[in-house]
């Protein structure tokens, strides 16, 4: 993007720059006009640094198989941040003022010079001269020992350079606007396999967590520059990665404790169980309401809940680990582009909403291990209770039975992929075998 900013400065030097990903296209011919309306607004236009449109995909299944539909984020989260100072920059579908990408700070008397391009200079410059200057601006060495990638252009050194760039713009006093027209402004391609989805969210969670632990942490970098609620809005994504740890605890420890006869929650008849029931019911009811009101189906919401669980115990976990390793100097930052191309068999299964595995990866081992662990613990715990082996009343284990049972129901597609499917997208036998081994090891771990 930095190269395009520099090269365009000698071609058009337009005051507004549109930024879209290479796999996205314009879907609404009013988009540019609408964005310019925000910049030209007589009362608020001079405060607007960029106009952000939502990211939409045109290849999502009806029931949101991999949880990649961004309806709730687009309708609720981004819209909510719009009222706090503006949405974050998501790296695509955005219109920036050229000057803010060049490091300009907001001042109350700021006025855009809409006639300040090269309209008057272009007549005195030959095409050959423009071409030669553009080539020099596009060289790999142009940015050496300059402020490009720091104060000018996008911030370098982070897998989510878009988020940190948007935060820096907000901290320089600019506001942003979120525009979500009925007809999507831009459309693109979303991940169509589980591997693509997990890779994409690993990069997002790792980059956001890196920002949270750096000098660009919204609470530190934004202190005194943006309001507290705006800082908290940014931190929602910065804390994705560490959320993997409590999630791992809740999908492993209560189930193991159930199998070994150790109650962890208050009895179902105790008044102290009320906070747990309240949190569980209200969280899920509100989540369902948000999803349905934003256009998702009931099954789509359920698939989304499953994928949030999967992403937390895989993508977010590895994102947290890689971030810590980088901070300790044990690894270097890498940027892995998410592939968006699938073979014919994978595409057919995706259209039929059948989850795709097919290869042996650490992420699939974790998914299969957690699924098998909860199934074994549920069956073992039920048998112990029904036979009266523990001489403990059922109400002592009801919360753990409900939690373990919900996890088993959530993991049904994984059991099918391990034991019932015969296509190439099933979970490989080596992954299933390794998962059985890890489940056996879990039974040897004491629950204190």
């Amino acid at each position: 993007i930095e190269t395009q900013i520099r090269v365009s400065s000698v071609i058009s030097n337009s005051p507004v720059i549109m930024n879209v990903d290479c796999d996205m296209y314009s879907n609404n011919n009013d988009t540019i006009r609408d964005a310019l309306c925000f910049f030209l607004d007589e009362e608020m236009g001079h405060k607007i640094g960029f106009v952000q449109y939502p990211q939409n995909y045109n290849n999502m299944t009806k029931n949101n198989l991999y949880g990649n539909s961004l309806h709730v984020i687009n309708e609720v989260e981004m819209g909510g941040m719009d009222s706090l100072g503006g949405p974050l920059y998501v790296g695509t579908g955005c219109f920036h003022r050229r000057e803010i990408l060049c490091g300009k700070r907001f001042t109350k008397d700021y006025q855009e010079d809409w006639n300040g391009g090269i309209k008057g200079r272009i007549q005195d410059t030959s095409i050959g001269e423009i071409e030669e200057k553009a080539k020099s601006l596009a060289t790999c060495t142009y940015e050496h020992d300059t402020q490009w990638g720091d104060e000018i252009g996008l911030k370098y050194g982070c897998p989510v350079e878009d988020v940190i760039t948007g935060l820096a713009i907000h901290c320089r006093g600019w506001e942003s606007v979120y525009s979500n027209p009925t007809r999507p402004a831009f459309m693109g391609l979303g991940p169509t396999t589980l591997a693509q989805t997990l890779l994409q969210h690993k990069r997002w969670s790792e980059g956001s967590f890196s920002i949270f632990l750096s000098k660009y942490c919204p609470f530190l970098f934004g202190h005194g520059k943006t309001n507290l609620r705006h800082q908290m809005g940014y931190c929602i994504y910065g804390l994705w990665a560490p959320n993997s740890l409590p999630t791992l605890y809740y999908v492993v420890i209560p189930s193991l404790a159930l199998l070994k006869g150790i109650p962890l929650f208050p009895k179902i008849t105790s008044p102290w169980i009320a906070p747990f029931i309240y949190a569980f019911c209200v969280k899920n009811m509100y989540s369902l309401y948000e999803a349905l009101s934003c256009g998702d189906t009931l099954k789509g919401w359920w698939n989304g809940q499953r994928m949030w669980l999967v992403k937390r115990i895989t993508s977010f976990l590895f994102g947290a680990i890689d971030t810590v390793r980088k901070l300790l100097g044990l690894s270097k930052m890498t940027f892995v582009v998410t592939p968006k191309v699938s073979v014919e068999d994978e595409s057919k299964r995706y259209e039929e909403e059948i989850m795709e595995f097919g290869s042996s990866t650490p992420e699939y081992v974790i998914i299969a291990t957690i699924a098998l662990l909860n199934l074994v613990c549920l069956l073992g715990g039920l048998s112990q209770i029904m036979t009266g082996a523990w001489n403990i009343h059922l109400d002592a284990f009801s919360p753990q039975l409900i939690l373990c049972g919900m996890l088993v129901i959530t993991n049904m597609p994984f059991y099918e992929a391990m034991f019932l499917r015969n296509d190439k997208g099933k979970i490989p036998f080596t992954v299933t075998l390794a998962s059985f081994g890890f489940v056996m090891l879990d039974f040897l771990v004491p629950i204190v």
Side-chain angles (χ1 to χ4, degrees), residues 8-291:
S8 66
S9 69
V10 298
I11 298 175
S12 67
N13 200 33
S14 62
V16 175
I17 297 175
M18 182 180 74
N19 161 226
V20 292
D21 281 346
C22 60
D23 61 351
M24 300 194 74
Y25 63 89
S26 177
N27 187 61
N28 188 332
N29 59 9
D30 291 329
T31 301
I32 297 177
R33 184 193 65 183
D34 292 346
L36 290 176
C37 284
F38 287 111
F39 290 123
L40 293 168
D41 184 80
E42 294 182 357
E43 295 184 7
M44 301 293 294
H46 67 290
K47 299 180 180 180
I48 307 303
F50 63 90
V51 178
Q52 179 66 63
Y53 286 89
Q55 191 169 6
N56 290 290
Y57 302 131
N58 63 359
N59 60 338
M60 295 293 98
T61 61
K62 177 183 176 181
N63 295 308
N64 192 18
L65 178 61
Y66 294 119
N68 289 318
S69 175
L70 303 176
H71 290 154
V72 173
I73 291 179
N74 289 343
E75 298 285 343
V76 180
E77 296 180 14
M78 295 288 282
M81 289 192 69
D82 192 37
S83 66
L84 303 176
L88 66 166
Y89 168 42
V90 301
T92 185
C94 189
F95 291 81
H96 287 94
R97 291 186 188 271
R98 179 182 293 274
E99 290 187 321
I100 69 163
L101 290 178
C102 294
K104 187 174 183 63
R105 293 182 176 275
F106 171 74
T107 57
K108 292 183 179 180
D109 59 349
Y110 171 79
Q111 291 293 329
E112 180 71 62
D113 182 7
W114 294 102
N115 296 315
I118 64 172
K119 185 167 53 176
R121 293 179 290 158
I122 193 69
Q123 297 175 354
D124 303 325
T125 308
S126 68
I127 297 298
E129 291 175 336
I130 294 176
E131 184 178 356
E132 287 302 316
K133 189 171 183 179
K135 287 181 179 179
S136 67
L137 293 173
T139 59
C140 297
T141 57
Y142 184 87
E143 297 180 3
H144 290 180
D145 300 321
T146 70
Q147 291 186 321
W148 285 96
D150 185 14
E151 293 298 324
I152 305 176
L154 271 66
K155 297 279 187 181
Y156 291 167
C158 179
V160 286
E161 75 291 339
D162 44 11
V163 175
I164 199 171
T165 298
L167 176 61
I169 291 172
H170 284 134
C171 289
R172 291 201 295 267
W174 297 95
E175 295 182 9
S176 58
V177 168
Y178 181 62
S179 180
N180 187 13
T182 303
R183 181 183 177 89
F186 300 97
M187 299 293 289
L189 297 176
T192 57
T193 67
L194 182 58
Q196 293 172 7
T197 300
L198 298 183
L199 175 62
Q200 185 177 69
H201 282 82
K202 176 185 178 296
R203 186 180 75 243
W204 287 349
S205 62
E206 179 183 343
S208 298
F209 192 37
S210 298
I211 294 174
F212 186 80
L213 296 180
S214 72
K215 65 179 181 180
Y216 294 108
C217 174
F219 290 129
L220 301 177
F221 190 61
H223 180 67
K225 303 171 185 174
T226 62
N227 63 68
L228 179 61
R229 292 189 299 166
H230 203 196
Q231 297 166 22
M232 294 173 66
Y234 268 98
C235 287
I236 290 175
Y237 311 100
L239 295 174
W240 270 359
N243 268 335
S244 60
L245 301 179
T247 303
L248 270 176
Y249 177 90
Y250 269 97
V251 299
V252 173
I253 301 302
S255 299
L256 282 175
L258 171 65
L259 184 65
K260 299 186 178 185
I262 304 173
L264 297 181
F265 298 97
K267 294 182 179 180
I268 199 69
T269 55
S270 168
W272 295 106
I273 196 63
F276 296 93
I277 296 176
Y278 174 83
F280 175 81
C281 293
V282 171
K283 183 267 176 189
N284 285 286
M285 289 173 62
Y286 190 74
S287 172
L288 177 60
Y289 164 75
E290 281 186 337

Side-chain angles (χ1 to χ4, degrees), residues 402-417:
I402 294 172
L403 176 60
C404 193
M406 289 292 292
L407 288 170
V408 169
I409 295 172
T410 303
N411 290 327
M412 288 302 294
F414 308 140
Y415 303 134
E416 294 176 3

